[in-house]
């Protein structure tokens, strides 16, 4: 749908009105006497009916609009990047060698990222609840899981979050890889984008207005991509095809065009959308070819970008703030306190007084350097006062506890802002032992999940999966069979084949809530064991929670062993059982008619069912070690 306030859309509408409207026009055919057949120039469905000069004027206007906004936002980027890297406000690294002391901004983000992107997002798909629809939904879901794993989606989402934290906006571009003939997703540099300053990122991760992306490559690569413009590109590069060049790809939802200097290299409609086409076989009652509506996952074309935006009022392209920006002042306090403490401790170690009777300024300086670094030499005390009076260390007073308390409060405030206080590496305290540590982790997981991870799952990942389905349905790309496989339930491999024509109905795509949150399997197993020992769950549930293979058989085996070891031996080790019976018979003659062997002809499951009727209650504690018993009949 063309926006009524989009200048690009208005230009397009004007051209359409001139070229497509039947008003004040005479229908005149050229193919046959009756006017039927192709008339005028043939136009491809993806052709963009705008002059190159119009597009270049539009480009110049858009770049002019963005420049003032860019100047303001770039200052915030620089400040955030300095804080993340641990640089001073002047941009120099401390001592020209190391980052600033106690850089918790870096620690917080790099602790936060593995927690926020611990797992690949788990997609789900459903359709019209018919057998055919369920089969299509299952195949598409398998293909989505396959592409999420193959394209390293979790890793690319982590880069996206890091990008967002510094530049207040993250981006992933969806595209088509001609080398492997399949879809792809890429992290793009947000600094290379040109935005409409009045546009914003909506809840689905889509930008609401036009945008452009600067791209860099060699002149040779650019000529390979746009072979029709090879001579112009070579001329601009002075025929040195290894020269680095920069071009811009411009997008609206409906159209895209590419500019390089004063040339439009390419222009066309959105290639990721199936547009209505004229049927070559179907005709209406008047013999006119019908317009066939194409099937799409999207209701309308979209730009092939998905953005991460969290702290937004939807008033401008970038977020109004970010976690790094909010903690710049706190990080400065932490660095200042750490430097002050270092200075105090250095004074405590190197606070020396030299007697003027033994040293002059130069010899005192040499002695001080030697004392601070004994490996470089020994201290030679000149004659004068006795040695114990020639050099004296100056003691310092105790550092107030409030100094350390303030430093610790600032560190905790920064970690709490990022939601990592319970999962960061810290000295063990009463709050980080046993129950307190678990509660802190639960609070932090909730903070991360309810903040960034929730946006990643329900906005970014969902939109990326929607894009995958749209490409699956695009006949230009998925015209041939594409294959995908994942490791399914029961360690089995699920294998699917998919083409655009296979998806003949509408699908609903989503992401399972909390699927990206970290899952501590060791803690889950320990929790399961504790519940079992308390009698809250049985052995089957215990084994299921610990992901034991074939939990049903394992639980039945454990129950039988714990309740009746004789029956367990008779069922699982019949030969041993016979030997034990024979030993018992030799020691004590069996009464007449006594049965010394297991019932013949009765299946094992029936024997278990018969014995289970008289089994005693399951003891809460674990079974004792195996001790074979001699059974006397």
């Amino acid at each position: 749908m063309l926006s009524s306030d989009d200048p690009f859309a208005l230009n397009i509408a004007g051209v359409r009105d001139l070229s497509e409207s039947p008003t004040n026009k005479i229908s005149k055919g050229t193919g046959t006497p009756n006017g039927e057949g192709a008339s005028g120039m043939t136009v491809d469905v993806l052709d963009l009916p705008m002059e190159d000069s119009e597009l270049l004027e539009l480009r110049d206007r858009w770049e002019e609009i963005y420049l003032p906004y860019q100047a303001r936002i770039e200052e915030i980027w620089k400040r955030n990047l300095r804080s993340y890297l641990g640089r001073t406000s002047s941009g120099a690294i401390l001592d020209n060698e190391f980052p600033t002391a106690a850089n918790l901004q870096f620690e917080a983000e790099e602790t936060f990222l593995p927690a926020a992107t611990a797992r690949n997002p788990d997609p789900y798909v459903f359709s019209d609840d018919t057998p055919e629809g369920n089969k299509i939904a299952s195949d598409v879901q398998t293909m989505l899981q396959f592409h999420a794993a193959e394209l390293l989606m979790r890793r690319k989402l982590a880069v996206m979050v890091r990008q967002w934290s510094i530049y207040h906006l993250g981006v992933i571009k969806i595209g088509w890889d001609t080398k492997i003939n399949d879809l792809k997703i890429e992290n793009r540099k947000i600094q290379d984008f040109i935005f409409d300053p009045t546009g914003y990122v909506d809840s689905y991760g889509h930008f609401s207005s036009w945008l452009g992306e600067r791209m860099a490559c060699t002149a040779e690569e650019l000529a390979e991509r746009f072979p029709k413009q090879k001579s112009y590109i070579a001329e601009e590069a002075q025929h040195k095809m290894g020269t680095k060049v920069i071009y811009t790809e411009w997008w609206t939802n409906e159209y895209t065009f590419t500019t390089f200097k004063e040339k439009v290299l390419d222009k066309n409609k959105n290639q990721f959308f199936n547009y209505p086409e004229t049927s070559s076989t179907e005709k209406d009652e008047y013999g006119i070819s019908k317009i066939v509506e194409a099937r799409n996952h999207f209701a309308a074309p979209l730009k092939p970008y998905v953005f991460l935006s969290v702290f937004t009022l939807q008033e401008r392209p970038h977020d109004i703030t970010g976690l790094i920006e909010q903690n710049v002042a706190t990080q400065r306090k932490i660095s200042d306190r750490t430097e002050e403490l270092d200075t105090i401790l250095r004074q405590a170690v190197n606070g020396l007084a030299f007697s003027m009777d033994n040293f002059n300024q130069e010899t005192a300086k040499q002695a001080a350097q030697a004392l601070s670094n004994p490996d470089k030499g020994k201290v030679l005390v000149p004659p004068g006062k006795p040695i114990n009076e020639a050099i004296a260390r100056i003691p310092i007073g105790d550092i107030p506890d409030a100094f350390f308390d303030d430093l610790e409060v600032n560190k905790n405030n920064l970690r709490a802002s990022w939601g990592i206080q319970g999962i960061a590496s810290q000295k063990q305290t009463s709050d980080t032992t046993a129950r307190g540590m678990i509660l802190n982790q639960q609070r932090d997981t909730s903070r991360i999940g309810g903040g960034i991870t929730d946006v990643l799952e329900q906005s970014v990942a969902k939109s990326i999966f929607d894009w995958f389905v749209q490409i699956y349905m695009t006949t230009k790309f998925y015209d041939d069979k594409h294959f995908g496989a994942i490791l399914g339930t029961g360690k089995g491999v699920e294998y699917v084949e998919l083409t655009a024509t296979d998806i003949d109905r509408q699908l609903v795509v989503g992401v399972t809530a909390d699927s990206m949150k970290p899952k501590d399997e060791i803690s889950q197993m320990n929790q399961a064991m504790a519940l079992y020992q308390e009698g809250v769950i049985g052995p089957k549930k215990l084994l299921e929670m610990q992901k034991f293979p074939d939990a049903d058989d394992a639980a039945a085996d454990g129950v039988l062993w714990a309740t009746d070891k004789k029956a367990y031996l008779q069922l699982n080790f019949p030969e041993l059982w016979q030997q034990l019976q024979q030993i018992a018979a030799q020691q004590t003659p069996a009464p007449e008619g006594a049965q010394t062997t297991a019932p013949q002809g009765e299946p094992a499951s029936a024997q278990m069912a018969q014995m289970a009727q008289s089994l005693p209650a399951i003891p809460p504690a674990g079974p004792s070690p195996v001790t074979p018993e001699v059974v006397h009949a």
Side-chain angles (χ1 to χ4, degrees):
M1 185 69 67
L2 292 175
S3 174
S4 59
D5 56 356
D6 185 347
F8 186 67
L10 293 175
N11 284 338
I12 294 169
V15 173
R16 279 183 172 175
D17 186 54
L18 289 173
S19 61
E20 298 177 6
S21 175
T23 306
N24 296 330
K25 293 183 181 179
I26 299 174
S27 177
K28 183 178 180 181
T30 58
T32 59
N34 62 2
E36 294 181 355
S39 176
M41 295 177 60
T42 57
V43 179
D44 187 84
V45 70
L46 291 178
D47 282 351
L48 174 57
M50 287 189 70
E51 296 295 332
D52 289 359
S53 59
E54 294 179 273
L55 296 176
L56 291 174
E57 289 178 7
L58 203 57
R59 175 204 60 182
D60 294 341
R61 186 158 64 249
W62 286 350
E63 289 189 342
E64 184 180 355
I65 292 172
Y66 182 66
L67 278 176
Y69 174 82
Q70 182 184 21
R72 295 194 305 270
I73 200 72
E74 280 184 344
E75 289 303 315
I76 298 174
W77 297 348
K78 293 175 183 177
R79 184 171 65 242
N80 290 344
L81 185 59
R82 286 197 303 265
S83 187
Y84 171 75
L85 295 177
R87 297 176 185 265
T88 62
S89 58
S90 63
I93 299 179
L94 189 66
D95 295 334
N96 296 321
E97 187 176 358
F98 303 108
T100 188
N103 184 14
L104 263 71
Q105 290 275 51
F106 180 84
E107 174 203 302
E109 175 150 358
E110 298 310 316
T111 303
F112 167 87
L113 275 177
T117 58
R119 303 163 70 90
N120 262 335
D122 185 20
Y124 64 80
V125 183
F126 58 88
S127 184
D128 53 10
D129 203 25
T130 62
E132 297 80 9
N134 291 339
K135 173 66 167 58
I136 294 172
S138 177
D139 289 349
V140 170
Q141 179 171 317
T142 299
M143 189 66 83
L144 291 176
Q145 293 170 332
F146 166 74
H147 276 122
E150 287 297 306
L151 297 174
L152 302 179
M153 190 169 175
R154 179 174 69 91
R155 296 291 302 157
K156 292 176 181 177
L157 290 176
V159 174
M160 190 185 202
V161 174
R162 189 180 290 111
Q163 185 183 55
W164 161 83
S165 69
I166 296 172
Y167 301 107
H168 292 187
L169 200 62
V171 63
I172 281 180
K173 185 176 184 179
I174 298 89
W176 185 257
D177 193 332
T178 55
K179 295 180 180 178
I180 63 173
N181 195 35
D182 207 347
L183 57 82
K184 65 178 179 180
I185 55 174
E186 298 176 304
N187 294 107
R188 311 297 290 184
K189 292 174 63 177
I190 206 68
Q191 311 96 294
D192 292 339
F193 279 77
I194 301 167
F195 294 105
D196 177 0
T198 63
Y200 60 88
V201 177
D202 63 19
S203 301
Y204 298 95
H206 304 146
F207 189 65
S208 65
S209 187
W210 55 262
L211 61 82
E213 182 187 3
R214 306 281 194 208
M215 298 183 182
C217 65
T218 64
E220 183 178 9
E221 292 170 337
L222 188 62
E224 289 177 358
R225 181 172 180 183
F226 304 101
K228 293 180 180 179
Q229 309 294 342
K230 183 174 182 179
S231 59
Y232 177 79
I233 295 169
E235 183 180 347
E236 290 295 327
Q238 299 180 358
H239 299 280
K240 296 178 180 179
M241 301 306 284
T243 305
K244 181 181 177 181
V245 297
I246 297 175
Y247 64 100
T248 308
E249 189 174 280
W250 300 93
W251 279 91
T252 69
N253 287 337
E254 288 277 356
Y255 297 97
T256 178
F257 62 98
T258 304
T259 59
F260 174 63
K261 303 283 282 185
E262 297 305 316
K263 193 78 170 179
V264 175
L265 301 180
D266 193 20
K267 55 182 179 179
N268 53 266
K269 290 183 182 179
N270 193 324
Q271 61 179 327
F272 299 104
F273 196 76
N274 294 317
Y275 290 93
E277 294 188 21
T278 303
S279 174
S280 58
T281 57
E282 299 183 35
K283 299 183 182 298
D284 62 15
E285 56 183 328
Y286 302 105
I288 301 174
S289 297
K290 288 184 176 181
I291 301 297
V292 180
E293 291 292 334
R295 182 173 293 279
N296 289 280
H297 183 61
F298 292 148
L302 291 172
K303 296 177 286 294
Y305 297 93
V306 176
F307 294 90
L308 172 60
S309 175
V310 182
F311 306 125
T312 177
L313 297 176
Q314 296 190 346
E315 295 175 347
R316 67 180 195 179
H318 300 78
D319 280 6
I320 57 174
T321 189
L323 292 177
I324 286 183
E325 184 181 30
Q326 287 297 306
N327 286 289
V328 168
T330 304
Q331 176 60 56
R332 189 181 299 118
K333 288 182 180 179
I334 294 170
S335 298
D336 291 345
R337 291 288 181 272
T338 305
E339 291 296 326
E340 290 167 3
L341 179 61
D342 182 69
T343 301
I344 292 172
L345 294 178
R346 285 179 181 274
Q347 290 174 351
V349 174
N350 299 321
L352 300 170
F354 297 92
S355 171
M356 294 183 62
D357 294 333
N358 303 79
F359 296 93
N360 58 31
Q361 187 172 0
E362 183 62 28
T363 56
K365 181 179 179 181
Q366 294 174 358
Q369 291 176 346
L371 287 172
S372 62
N373 194 349
D375 295 336
K376 291 186 177 180
K378 303 297 181 181
V379 177
L380 180 64
V381 180
K385 287 187 175 182
I387 293 178
N388 61 342
E389 297 179 9
I391 303 175
R393 291 193 176 273
I394 303 174
I396 63 170
D398 294 335
I399 302 174
D401 291 340
F403 181 94
F404 295 99
D405 292 342
D406 180 66
L407 179 61
E408 195 63 27
V409 165
N410 285 320
K411 288 183 176 181
N412 287 335
N413 286 343
L414 193 147
R415 292 188 177 113
S417 176
W418 282 87
I420 62 155
Q421 192 171 5
I423 56 179
S425 177
Q426 303 176 57
K427 181 180 178 181
Q428 196 171 33
T429 65
S430 59
D431 287 336
T432 57
T433 56
R435 178 175 174 80
M437 186 174 180
I438 294 173
L439 290 175
N440 278 341
Q441 289 180 353
Q442 289 176 347
R443 285 194 293 266
D444 287 339
T445 302
S446 175
R447 162 70 174 84
I448 290 171
I452 313 305
T453 306
D454 189 52
V455 178
L456 281 175
E457 287 178 351
Q458 306 306 320
S459 179
V460 176
K462 180 191 181 315
S463 292
I464 291 175
F465 286 137
D466 279 326
W467 259 107
F468 287 179
V469 176
Q470 174 63 30
I471 293 179
Y472 297 161
M473 298 176 69
T474 305
T475 53
K476 177 180 179 181
F477 301 115
Y478 264 62
D479 53 341
D480 296 326
K481 283 190 178 299
H482 286 69
F483 309 97
I486 62 168
L487 193 64
T489 56
K491 305 295 182 181
V493 176
E494 296 182 20
Y495 178 84
V496 295
E497 298 178 351
L498 197 64
T499 64
T501 54
D502 291 336
I503 309 176
D504 59 359
R505 62 201 68 205
Q506 204 63 34
L507 300 175
V508 177
V509 179
V511 175
T512 304
D514 300 334
S515 61
M516 293 184 67
K517 281 187 179 181
K519 293 178 175 58
D520 186 355
E521 294 186 358
I522 301 300
S523 297
Q524 290 178 347
M525 291 180 180
N526 291 338
Q527 183 184 33
M529 182 60 71
L531 292 173
Y532 172 71
Q533 291 174 347
E534 293 292 331
V536 178
I537 61 173
K540 178 182 175 181
K541 197 65 178 178
L542 168 67
L543 295 170
E544 287 178 347
M545 292 177 68
Q546 296 194 342
K547 299 182 179 179
F548 198 86
D550 205 351
D552 287 347
D553 288 349
D557 183 80
V559 169
L560 183 59
W561 169 250
T563 55
D564 194 335
K565 295 181 175 59
K566 300 176 186 178
Y568 184 89
L569 292 173
Q570 184 178 356
L571 181 65
N572 292 284
F573 305 99
E575 294 180 359
L576 176 60
W577 175 257
Q578 292 287 350
Q579 294 176 9
L580 292 175
Q581 291 284 43
Q582 291 173 6
I583 293 172
Q586 292 172 2
Q587 293 179 352
T588 304
E592 252 182 66
Q595 183 176 334
T596 59
T597 61
Q600 299 297 319
E602 191 173 5
S605 58
Q607 293 181 35
M608 284 192 65
Q610 184 178 0
M611 289 184 289
Q613 295 177 0
S614 58
L615 291 180
I618 300 174
S624 58
V626 178
T627 305
E629 301 179 44
V630 178
V631 180
H632 298 280

